[in-house]
Amino acid sequence: LAREGVGALAAAPLRTRGRAAGSLVLADRTGRRYTDHDLRLLAVFADQIGLTWGGEDLAPKLSTRRPRR
């Protein structure tokens, strides 16, 4: 990776229907440090992609969630 000029790397698993389907990867040439917020956001994006790939219907899951207070 260093030979390619990558100074920082972060990855999150892409899962569809409970199985690994790949990875969502961030690479940065400047060597930045990814924050906890960056990593949480990466995980959320990976989860959304996995749900889309799996064609899962979110309506039943969302309708049973309790409202936030």
Side-chain angles (χ1 to χ4, degrees):
L1 292 171
R3 187 173 41 196
E4 297 295 324
V6 175
L9 195 66
L14 294 172
R15 299 182 198 281
T16 181
R17 299 188 185 275
R19 302 185 76 192
S23 299
L24 181 60
V25 179
L26 296 177
D28 185 270
R29 292 184 186 275
T30 65
R32 68 172 287 189
R33 294 182 59 97
Y34 293 107
T35 66
D36 287 341
H37 177 73
D38 294 333
L39 299 177
R40 283 192 304 271
L41 201 53
L42 179 64
V44 168
F45 289 150
D47 288 345
Q48 292 298 311
I49 291 167
L51 290 171
T52 301
W53 283 357
E56 297 179 30
D57 183 8
L58 294 178
K61 295 176 186 175
L62 294 174
S63 65
T64 59
R65 290 180 66 179
R66 300 173 91 178
R68 287 186 178 178
R69 294 183 187 208

